[in-house]
Amino acid sequence: MFASLTHTQIRKPLLHEEIVARLRTLIFHGELLPDVRVPEKDLCQRFGISRTPLREALKVLASEGLITLLPNRGARVTRLTPADAEELFPIMGALEALSGELACLRASDSDIAEIRALHYQMALHHARVEHHQYSQLNQAIHRKIMETARNPSLTSVYDGLEGRVRRVRYLANSSRQRWNEAMFEHEAILRALEDRDGEQLAVLLKSHLMSKLGAVKRALGSISYSSECL
Amino acid sequence: MFASLTHTQIRKPLLHEEIVARLRTLIFHGELLPDVRVPEKDLCQRFGISRTPLREALKVLASEGLITLLPNRGARVTRLTPADAEELFPIMGALEALSGELACLRASDSDIAEIRALHYQMALHHARVEHHQYSQLNQAIHRKIMETARNPSLTSVYDGLEGRVRRVRYLANSSRQRWNEAMFEHEAILRALEDRDGEQLAVLLKSHLMSKLGAVKRALGSISYSSECL
DNA sequence: AACTATCATTTTGCATACAAAATGCAATAA
DNA sequence: TTATTGCATTTTGTATGCAAAATGATAGTT
């Protein structure tokens, strides 16, 4: 009895899990900046907890690469160097390519219809030069393809990497020309998916990521390094 | 001064890092079996430490997927289900494919010579039906290709996944026929590398991994599940 | 002035202590 | 017998305390 009702059990959220989540959002929102030392005591006071669960949370984030732990010298948000970006984007490209292949194998007609809808909504925001909404839909499309691949391990590996480059994503479409290119690439991506041409979709997604890497690198070059990003 | 000498600093090894490493080897050596509960106190006594660093180590291993942490119910080694294998092998295939592409771009002649040497040594052990030595060299080849790709992030993501499937690897070449096939595939892999044909090498490495998945699945099917593996 | 040396302070790493939750078992009821 | 309840024990989650290492400021030396 209670078969279907109570199987989704209610769990009191564990403190260190809470802390992992809250630290992640702090990092993503730029409230914790790269390379600045954050004493454990400060974070403890901020969250109103003791050091034990905080330290457990830091270990988890460190093993994700989001923060760096220097022995006896505290934790700091990992600074993403151009070299890191150059390593990470090809990996993400390979994983997105795989997601595309699997998605072509497994997508239902309604999956594709959903992605098509997202695509045309995105195209609209592109035409209206609405960066933020465009960006949201762009991410939604890639997430939906990833989800359609129905490989949770793939998703979680990808998300781990995505978190590390999150703060430079917005640099990708900073030039108008690159933005137009990206939109063009997305047209081809949609077509490959509609044709369920997995091989083609894989190639497109991979090169899409590599173009993005190029754009990010150019943008990084022009902000001359010292400033607050990365 | 001391520019080059002391930059590789001598660090007193931190306890929780030690513990992460030791737990990993315990798991790989099969001394900690999947799904059996291991109370923290037992592990503490085994290592002669307190619970704090142990718990920090467990958090790290959990975020790698090697162990599973159930809230208030302890830690246990993650059991690799056939479904997990089916998710993980394609990911590893995509990553190995990328390693092959990059290796072709970056390999020096001596890198290739080294891999060739490993290959022919492996062929010798194959001919002599020496499973263990064959297996060692097989791994060495794949590691060397990965290393030649010169992408440390790629290596570390790959290693993380590799750790999770480690205990089923040895099932891959359990049938003689599969073993011959694998050797045949390796001939083609070596040739593509010698030709520095990155695209071809990527395809070969990927399908090599997928064949391995097939072999592992068949082997898993025939051992009827209950026994100690996975 | 620049470079060391010294020492108080801060911060980290680990051990211990205590509270809440889960587990196991015996006693009871159906 | 089979379930179920209640309680003692074990185990986990978090807080605190203590020792070692790092940091920072001051004083002394060249």
Side-chain angles (χ1 to χ4, degrees), chain A residues 20 23-24 27 54-70 74-78 164, chain B residues 16-17 56 59-60 63-64 156:
Chain A
V20 167
L23 280 173
R24 247 200 223 101
I27 293 169
L54 176 77
R55 285 176 57 84
E56 293 180 355
L58 290 177
K59 294 285 177 300
V60 171
L61 293 173
S63 86
E64 286 176 19
L66 225 84
I67 68 162
T68 304
L69 248 32
L70 298 95
R76 50 202 71 192
V77 175
T78 308
R164 291 172 63 180
Chain B
H16 59 259
E17 285 181 0
E56 294 179 353
K59 293 284 177 299
V60 172
S63 86
E64 286 176 18
S156 93

Side-chain angles (χ1 to χ4, degrees), chain B residues 118-181:
Chain B
L118 290 168
H119 175 90
Y120 286 114
Q121 217 181 324
M122 179 175 81
L124 187 65
H125 290 301
H126 174 258
R128 291 187 186 156
V129 198
E130 294 166 343
H131 285 76
H132 185 68
Q133 289 101 320
Y134 167 89
S135 198
Q136 295 285 100
L137 284 160
N138 188 344
Q139 280 180 248
I141 289 169
H142 288 284
R143 258 207 313 280
K144 176 65 185 173
I145 294 175
M146 184 61 75
E147 183 193 308
T148 304
R150 289 175 228 291
N151 184 325
S153 304
L154 176 58
T155 304
S156 93
V157 173
Y158 185 84
D159 286 345
L161 299 173
E162 204 270 339
R164 291 171 64 181
V165 301
R166 184 97 123 212
R167 270 172 299 116
V168 298
R169 280 185 66 113
Y170 72 98
L171 294 173
N173 298 323
S174 44
S175 95
R176 184 62 200 249
Q177 194 201 335
R178 169 57 202 149
W179 197 16
N180 290 334
E181 273 172 29

Side-chain angles (χ1 to χ4, degrees), chain A residues 11 14 16 55-56 59-60 63 71 87-88 90-91 94-95 98 101 151-154 157 161 164 206, chain B residues 11 14 16 55-56 59-60 63 71 87-88 90-91 94-95 98 101 151-154 157 161 164 206:
Chain A
R11 268 192 22 206
L14 294 181
H16 57 259
R55 285 176 57 84
E56 293 180 355
K59 294 285 177 300
V60 171
S63 86
E87 288 184 14
L88 294 174
I91 305 174
L95 298 179
L98 176 59
E101 275 181 64
N151 183 327
S153 303
L154 175 59
V157 173
L161 299 173
R164 291 172 63 180
K206 191 167 168 181
Chain B
R11 272 188 22 205
L14 295 180
H16 59 259
R55 284 176 59 84
E56 294 179 353
K59 293 284 177 299
V60 172
S63 86
E87 288 184 13
L88 294 174
I91 304 174
L95 297 178
L98 176 58
E101 275 182 64
N151 184 325
S153 304
L154 176 58
V157 173
L161 299 173
R164 291 171 64 181
K206 190 167 168 181

